[in-house]
Structures are given as C-alpha cells and as structure tokens.
Amino acid sequence: MNYRHAFHAGNHADVFKHLVLSQLFVLLGRKDAPLAYLDSHAGVGLYDLAGDQASRTGEWQQGIGRLWALEEAPAALAPYLEVVRALNPDGQLRYYPGSPELARRLSREQDRLQLNEKHPEDGLLLKDNMAGDRRVAVHLGEGWHVPRALMPTAEKRVVLLIDPPFEQADELSRCVEALNEAHGRMRQTVGVIWYPIKDERQLRRFYQDLARSGAPKLLRAELYVHPADDAGRLNGSGLAISNPPWGLEEQLRELLPWLAARLAQSEGGWRLDWLIEEGAK
C-alpha cells in the first residue's frame, strides 16, 4: 500500500467526484429521514495543499485552483465551493476537503458517517481530523469488506462511496463485487464508484460488469481533461452511480459541459448515460 491521496488532492478528478458527492447530499437532504454515509477508502479527510506531497505535484492548480475563486459559476457548485471557502477563510487556497470532510460538513445532525481507511498512518490522521464529531465512526479495516461489515445500516437510506487507490489490476472488478454486495444487503443503496480513465479499452470489461451488476439502475458520468487515448496519463475520471436521486441526471447534464470547458488540459469532454435504466431488472 504505497498510494497517498495527498499527492492528488484537489485535482480535476477530486473536483468532479466531490462536486457530485455534494449534490447527492443536497438532493437526499430534501427528505428528513436520516442518512448513512459509508466510505470504503476514505483517506485522511483533509489535505494541506501547501504540504510536501501536494506541493510536489501541484495537481490541485489544474483542479480546484481554477474554480474556487470564480465569481460566476453554476448554482450547483455552491455547496461544494462553500465548504472549500469555509476551510480557507483568509481567501488563500491552502486546505482542501477529502470526501469524509465534505460529507461531514454537508450532512445533518440526524445523519451518520462510517469511514474506513486501511493505510495505518492515514487512518490515524483520519481519526484526528474527525475527532469531536459524535456522528462519525472511523474504522481501520479492509475497504473491500465495508459492505459486508457495515451493512445493512440502522438508517434506511445509505450512500456508499467506493474509491480505491487502483494499485492492483483487479480493483475494477472488486468495485463491482462491492457494489453487488451492497445492493444484496440494501437494495436502495446509492452506490458511487469512482474510477480513473486512461485507456478506454481497459474499461470495456468494467462497463460490461457494471451493466450486469445487481444495481436497480446505474448512471455513468465521465469527465475528460484529455482525449482518452493515452494509457500513460490520467485523461479523466468517471463515476458509476447506482440509484441516483431524482434531479441528479439533469444537474449533471448542465454541469459536465461547463466543467469540461474549464478543467480541460488539452481537449476536454464528457459522457453521461445509463448503463442500467430504471425498470430494466
């Protein structure tokens, strides 16, 4: 386990993932019923962009660095950008929220967060960053065991983020297995799989496996900052979202072209379609 997300914090893939996650909390928060948020590979929760790891790559400059100070942006960006700005009250961008911190700030008093991080050092940092919030539990186990270990939840509604480091060749297939396990335990799960886009040919089997998964419905959303034709670089990222709440598809159809234009590094692009349409199973 050598992956440390701090090198990539705030890059274009983080912006896309966290923007969609923020919208899930907004849309699901329209109902009073409590919500459980589960994060299988949570990281440390909060990142210092001036720290050694983030400053070595500077990837955030082509991600959140392009967006956070914009005076005009689509309204759907507001909850996400408000969290980033709250972490940087002096107006200088230094701190960036990982998925746990974003979820902690956008969730409500009745909601509960269960965060898992296997990396021993990062797990301790995550505990420190989440300390003092009684709604949050931090686990230091194997991320792939999260659906089996923590589901079903006491809450009837759950968002599960599956975001592994993709250091191993089998991690795409394990993402689908984890999603299937989650839906087997709670069919109504809103599952979110983040995945990197390098060479699209490598993703074909993954798309097929997703389309055959046990998800009741499954939306695919992808954002490209380069054409997806070079396996040696991160050309973009995707989110496979099971049981997306009503309104998310419409928001993404408006946001993705805007994001593709502003985050492009050579040639931006996007895709939004259903791998499993509602009622197909």
Side-chain angles (χ1 to χ4, degrees), residues 24-231:
L24 286 175
F25 277 100
V26 170
L27 293 169
L28 292 169
R30 292 175 177 174
K31 294 183 179 180
D32 291 336
L35 177 72
Y37 171 72
L38 276 57
D39 197 326
S40 65
H41 301 76
V44 305
L46 185 64
Y47 299 93
D48 183 355
L49 300 180
D52 176 62
Q53 295 169 332
S55 59
R56 263 194 260 175
T57 63
E59 289 185 17
W60 63 270
Q61 297 178 40
Q62 303 302 317
I64 187 59
R66 292 190 183 186
L67 301 185
W68 95 291
L70 288 178
E71 294 184 2
E72 293 187 11
L77 268 72
Y80 163 65
L81 291 178
E82 285 171 5
V83 171
V84 179
R85 289 167 181 160
L87 290 169
N88 300 278
D90 62 356
Q92 299 297 314
L93 178 58
R94 176 170 179 177
Y95 297 105
Y96 184 79
S99 301
E101 181 66 16
L102 192 73
R104 189 176 73 84
R105 288 178 177 257
L106 292 177
S107 56
R108 306 159 303 171
E109 180 63 27
Q110 66 266 40
D111 299 331
R112 187 166 58 115
L113 285 68
Q114 298 213 50
L115 313 173
N116 184 84
E117 175 51 50
K118 182 179 179 180
H119 194 289
E121 185 177 341
D122 284 358
L124 293 177
L125 288 172
L126 179 64
K127 281 194 171 187
D128 288 343
N129 286 331
M130 295 292 118
D133 194 328
R134 63 175 182 79
R135 302 172 306 134
V136 181
V138 175
H139 308 277
L140 305 179
E142 172 57 67
W144 300 115
H145 296 165
V146 164
R148 186 182 319 156
L150 301 179
M151 299 175 74
T153 62
E155 298 79 9
K156 301 301 182 185
R157 302 189 303 157
V158 60
V159 174
L160 168 66
L161 177 62
I162 304 169
D163 180 19
F166 291 101
E167 292 181 311
Q168 306 297 326
D170 66 344
E171 286 182 294
L172 286 171
S173 62
R174 296 193 78 174
C175 284
V176 180
E177 291 172 5
L179 185 70
N180 281 332
E181 176 109 38
H183 284 295
R185 293 175 176 270
M186 294 183 71
R187 185 163 174 79
Q188 70 274 29
T189 299
V190 178
V192 182
I193 298 174
W194 179 90
Y195 56 93
I197 297 175
K198 296 183 176 181
D199 185 344
E200 278 199 310
R201 291 171 295 183
Q202 297 175 348
L203 292 172
R204 287 176 185 167
R205 175 64 181 271
F206 176 57
Y207 296 147
Q208 292 171 356
D209 289 345
L210 285 170
R212 292 193 293 260
S213 73
K217 53 183 176 177
L218 190 64
L219 183 66
R220 171 174 58 183
E222 295 183 344
L223 178 70
Y224 312 98
V225 298
H226 299 291
D229 57 3
D230 185 346

